[in-house]
């Protein structure tokens, strides 16, 4: 029954989703080119608020726990498990005060209204998974950028979305580069639950009535740990709070 009801709601959701991307693309361009970084950042945040509100058509509810754990006036590396594209819209809006950037595959840097423009102009790292040298250089540049400006970067070290909520092993390389080139930063683990249920039937139709939960854990200051220690502690903290 849920799947049957979801067909018309999913069509409406996707129409509105694309509508917001198209509407905000010229708004982003104008904000960036006329008013600069902060205006562009706010245009992106507000767009993602609209995208989140659109998911309410599907009965989606969001719970964010632990925002008080995010360090202020310091660079932050948000490390999270990855369950769906809805993880990203949620982070951009609810963690907007931290100026989140993303480690994304380069294919997302072109062809997608609003999304591609933000990734190219907003300070994110666009990596080529087939070119490790290019990927590590991009991550290095992003790490230095957030370290200098007290911004944040979001990395999903599983490398791909979990379609069942069961976490995949964390990859070392991206985190190691962020650890090395953002030495003033904190690792902040985030556990995401139930986001995968949005696409439990696939991309169409979408799941209904989901409660997506984000738990922001205690920060770990990079300078207090060896990489091996902080990597192990971060992965363990995230995985232990995942509920299947």
């Amino acid at each position: 029954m849920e799947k049957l009801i979801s067909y018309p709601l999913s069509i409406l959701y996707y129409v509105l989703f694309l509508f917001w991307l198209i509407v905000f693309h010229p708004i982003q361009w104008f904000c960036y080119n006329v008013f600069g970084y902060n205006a562009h950042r706010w245009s992106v945040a507000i767009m993602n608020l609209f995208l989140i509100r659109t998911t309410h058509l599907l009965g989606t509810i969001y719970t964010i726990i632990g925002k008080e754990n995010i360090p202020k006036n310091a660079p932050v590396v948000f490390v999270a498990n990855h369950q769906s594209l809805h993880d990203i819209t949620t982070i951009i809006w609810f963690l907007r005060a931290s100026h989140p950037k993303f480690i994304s595959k380069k294919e997302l840097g072109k062809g997608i209204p609003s999304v591609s423009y933000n990734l190219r102009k907003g300070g994110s790292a666009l990596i080529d998974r087939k070119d490790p040298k290019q990927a590590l250089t991009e991550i290095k540049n992003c790490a230095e950028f957030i370290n200098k400006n007290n911004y944040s970067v979001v990395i999903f070290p599983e490398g791909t979305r979990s379609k069942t909520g069961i976490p995949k092993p964390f990859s070392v390389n991206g985190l190691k580069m962020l650890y090395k080139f953002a030495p003033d930063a904190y690792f902040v683990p985030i556990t995401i639950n139930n986001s995968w249920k949005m696409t439990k039937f696939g991309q169409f139709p979408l799941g209904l009535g989901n409660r997506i939960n984000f738990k922001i854990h205690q920060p770990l200051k990079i300078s207090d740990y060896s990489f091996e220690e902080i990597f192990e502690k971060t992965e363990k903290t995230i995985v232990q709070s995942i509920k299947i």
Side-chain angles (χ1 to χ4, degrees):
M1 181 59 72
E2 175 189 347
K3 193 172 183 179
L4 184 63
I5 296 172
S6 178
Y7 278 103
L9 292 176
S10 295
I11 292 172
L12 179 58
Y13 166 80
Y14 277 121
V15 169
L16 284 173
F17 188 93
L18 181 59
F19 173 77
W20 295 127
L21 294 187
I22 292 171
V23 165
F24 274 91
H25 189 90
I27 294 173
Q28 277 193 64
W29 183 93
F30 181 81
C31 288
Y32 181 83
N33 288 283
V34 176
F35 296 108
Y37 170 82
N38 274 313
H40 173 246
R41 177 176 72 88
W42 273 105
S43 72
V44 172
I46 293 169
M47 178 188 72
N48 281 274
L49 171 61
F50 277 80
L51 296 178
I52 287 170
R53 294 291 182 247
T54 303
T55 65
H56 293 337
L57 291 169
L58 305 170
T60 307
I61 297 173
Y62 298 85
T63 302
I64 315 295
I65 300 171
K67 285 181 68 175
E68 68 278 3
N69 293 329
I70 301 173
K72 294 178 174 60
N73 300 315
V76 174
V77 177
F78 290 115
V79 187
N81 60 310
H82 196 16
Q83 297 189 345
S84 81
L85 293 176
H86 302 280
D87 303 340
I88 297 169
T89 56
T90 309
I91 287 171
I92 292 175
W93 172 248
F94 286 104
L95 305 187
R96 61 193 180 278
S98 298
H99 299 231
K101 318 303 174 190
F102 289 84
I103 308 296
S104 303
K105 56 185 180 181
K106 70 171 188 176
E107 289 81 4
L108 297 178
K110 57 183 179 181
I112 308 173
S114 286
V115 173
S116 298
Y117 190 84
N118 178 46
L119 288 173
R120 293 197 311 272
K121 301 296 186 179
S124 293
L126 290 168
I127 64 172
D128 184 349
R129 292 179 176 177
K130 298 178 182 178
D131 185 349
K133 184 177 180 180
Q134 181 272 352
L136 294 177
T137 299
E138 279 284 304
I139 296 172
K140 172 181 177 290
N141 292 340
C142 185
E144 292 174 339
F145 180 60
I146 68 147
N147 197 72
K148 177 182 177 181
N149 294 285
N150 288 339
Y151 295 161
S152 70
V153 63
V154 182
I155 184 168
F156 302 111
E158 292 167 284
T160 187
R161 298 187 298 273
S162 169
K163 296 180 180 179
T164 60
I166 299 173
K168 303 176 187 299
F170 284 14
S171 176
V172 170
N173 292 339
L175 285 170
K176 183 175 285 187
M177 292 296 287
L178 294 172
Y179 174 91
K180 181 177 181 181
F181 291 102
D184 301 324
Y186 292 79
F187 274 21
V188 176
I190 299 177
T191 300
I192 302 171
N193 278 301
N194 297 329
S195 177
W196 68 273
K197 294 179 181 178
M198 293 288 288
T199 52
K200 62 184 177 182
F201 303 129
Q203 295 302 320
F204 185 83
L206 295 166
L208 302 179
N210 295 301
R211 295 177 177 269
I212 299 179
N213 300 307
F214 281 65
K215 183 175 182 180
I216 303 168
H217 300 277
Q218 290 292 329
L220 305 170
K221 189 167 177 55
I222 281 177
S223 59
D224 290 343
Y225 299 89
S226 69
F227 174 73
E228 290 73 20
E229 290 171 334
I230 202 169
F231 178 86
E232 180 181 358
K233 191 172 182 66
T234 299
E235 182 174 21
K236 184 177 180 180
T237 298
I238 293 169
V239 171
Q240 282 183 336
S241 293
I242 295 176
K243 299 175 183 177
I244 307 301

